[in-house]
Amino acid sequence: MTATTAAAPAISLMAAAGGGNLLFRQLFDAATGTFTYLLADVASRQGLLIDPVFEQHSRDLSLIHELGIDLVASIDTHAHADHVTGSWLMHEATGCAIGLAAAARAQNVTRPLEHGDRLAFGSRFIDVRSTPGHTDGCVSFVLDDQSMAFTGDALLVRGCGRCDFQQGNAHTLWASITEQIFSLPDSCLLYPGHDYTGRTVSSVVEEKAFNARLGGAATERDFVGHMHNMKLPHPHKIAEALPGNMRAGKPREAQARVAWAPVQRSYAGLPELAPAWVAAHQNDLTILDVRGPEELEGPDGYISGSLNIPLPELEQRRQEIPSDQPVVVVCHSGSRSALATQQLLKEGFGDVANLRGGLSRWSDEGYPLCGTAAL
């Protein structure tokens, strides 16, 4: 099942992919050291999201929207113990499938995964390899040409996932890594589920040679002895994360939603509103124009009824902004108004958003302007 998340933007996805036929993005959650991965087939714009984080849903969805990607599935390498997955939220937002190993026995999963399964996105696909040992429901995802693999917590950069809870077993993990991951080409790039020291990627040849737990001349006996003596504390979010992930990230209670407008956050984190909604609700808003007075009298024109406070004067004159209405900030392109929006948010304004694309987009979409632009 797929759902179009947004109309395709004007940008070239091939250009965004560096001229290739596969778009790849590695995203990071600093609070938990978690990597999230976005893959998309350039020709079809279909994509997969791997290991999303609940708290980063807005960021991930904004990127998918901005790139015009049709998300096929949000998939997890395992039921995480240190963060709640964002898969349910992504399913709610886009209609994508929720993928997790059938062995995890989690609720709300629409695409239970088994060893040997294939997940297609456009003309590309990933193969599912069962790699238990960290948990009994761990899987790794291998790209169709075996140029990259996403190993979750089964194999990390110069390390691996722990084996002391969630049905973990060091003997099983040894077999998973040596038989399913180290059987890939030496040149296959390995992308881990986590890292806490800034290491983002490794390769099969590196981990075979340098992984302190199972690389080089290490035997299964060496590996098991290492894993049985680590004595690690449990993840501090385990009490929240495991129950949440057994629901595929579905909240126990419906989340409160922004009431005043259909605000969307850009990938840069900026709250934005589309011109159509602003035009339809103009009488209930304060339109704050942060351009200079000479620009209001120039060829670009201005929105009827807008309040003009130039950006350099905003801090000193913010008391002139009505407190009983939401604020939509505008300028020519949305650049200066973006800075003004951020400034107002820092100063405690709650219901505030930037006009996406500024007056240029407003005019292009046919909404009226006063001044010389309207002549």
Side-chain angles (χ1 to χ4, degrees):
M1 173 179 167
T2 64
T4 300
T5 57
I11 69 165
S12 162
L13 196 60
M14 179 175 288
N21 61 15
L22 179 76
L23 178 128
F24 170 66
R25 293 290 184 270
Q26 183 180 45
L27 308 168
F28 187 62
D29 177 61
T32 62
T34 302
F35 289 116
T36 297
Y37 301 98
L38 177 65
L39 300 171
D41 172 56
V42 165
S44 67
R45 304 188 91 99
Q46 290 188 348
L48 296 175
L49 190 67
I50 300 172
D51 285 341
V53 175
F54 188 94
E55 289 81 5
Q56 297 289 354
H57 170 69
S58 177
R59 175 202 67 184
D60 298 348
L61 184 63
S62 295
L63 179 59
I64 290 165
H65 278 164
E66 288 182 8
L67 296 177
I69 292 172
D70 178 10
L71 198 65
V72 173
S74 180
I75 54 180
D76 284 279
T77 52
H78 62 293
H80 311 275
D82 51 6
H83 71 274
V84 177
T85 176
S87 284
W88 171 264
L89 296 180
M90 198 59 68
H91 166 75
E92 285 280 275
T94 70
C96 70
I98 297 174
L100 182 68
R105 298 176 291 279
Q107 300 174 337
N108 305 312
V109 174
T110 64
R111 184 70 164 83
L113 302 175
E114 302 277 2
H115 180 77
D117 282 351
R118 179 169 290 181
L119 290 171
F121 55 108
S123 64
R124 307 301 300 264
F125 63 86
I126 59 169
D127 285 319
V128 178
R129 294 196 178 194
S130 179
T131 50
H134 170 59
T135 77
D136 62 355
C138 284
V139 295
S140 294
F141 302 118
V142 181
L143 190 62
D144 45 25
D145 60 3
Q146 298 193 348
S147 63
M148 59 176 65
F150 305 90
T151 56
D153 287 13
L155 184 63
L156 305 174
V157 178
R158 306 301 192 265
C160 63
R162 61 197 295 172
C163 302
D164 57 340
F165 65 95
Q166 280 186 280
Q167 302 82 42
N169 183 286
H171 292 282
T172 303
L173 185 56
W174 168 271
S176 292
I177 294 172
T178 58
E179 296 173 13
Q180 296 299 330
I181 299 175
F182 283 179
S183 64
L184 292 166
D186 282 353
S187 59
C188 180
L189 298 178
L190 302 177
Y191 292 92
H194 298 277
D195 195 87
Y196 307 99
T197 61
R199 298 168 299 191
T200 60
V201 62
S202 185
S203 64
V204 170
V205 70
E206 290 175 75
E207 297 308 315
K208 282 181 178 179
F210 304 123
N211 192 299
R213 301 180 187 182
L214 75 167
T219 65
E220 183 174 353
R221 182 180 68 251
D222 297 322
F223 178 72
V224 172
H226 183 121
M227 300 306 293
H228 282 177
N229 287 280
M230 292 181 69
K231 297 181 174 59
L232 296 172
H234 276 194
H236 72 278
K237 294 186 71 174
I238 188 171
E240 171 192 352
L242 281 181
N245 288 322
M246 293 308 291
R247 301 189 301 273
K250 181 178 181 181
R252 288 191 182 278
E253 299 178 358
Q255 290 186 296
R257 299 185 182 274
V258 177
W260 73 275
V263 173
Q264 290 188 344
R265 289 193 176 271
S266 69
Y267 186 47
L270 186 72
E272 295 183 326
L273 284 168
W277 189 91
V278 175
H281 299 82
Q282 189 172 340
N283 293 335
D284 301 316
L285 306 169
T286 295
I287 307 296
L288 175 63
D289 193 321
V290 296
R291 296 175 298 158
E294 70 284 356
E295 291 182 83
L296 268 70
E297 300 171 1
D300 291 338
Y302 59 91
I303 297 175
S304 175
S306 56
L307 170 66
N308 179 226
I309 302 179
L311 180 58
E313 303 173 15
L314 185 59
E315 184 176 357
Q316 293 75 26
R317 296 176 56 188
R318 63 178 180 271
Q319 70 278 1
E320 298 177 28
I321 303 172
S323 60
D324 59 346
Q325 285 185 321
V327 179
V328 176
V329 192
V330 305
C331 70
H332 172 256
S333 67
S335 174
R336 285 171 289 174
S337 57
L339 182 59
T341 299
Q342 292 170 335
Q343 184 175 326
L344 292 176
L345 288 170
K346 288 178 181 177
E347 292 173 356
F349 284 78
D351 297 343
V352 58
N354 192 40
L355 178 67
R356 186 181 303 138
L359 294 178
S360 177
R361 179 168 174 176
W362 175 278
S363 177
D364 288 346
E365 294 188 8
Y367 299 106
L369 288 166
C370 300
T372 56
L375 299 179

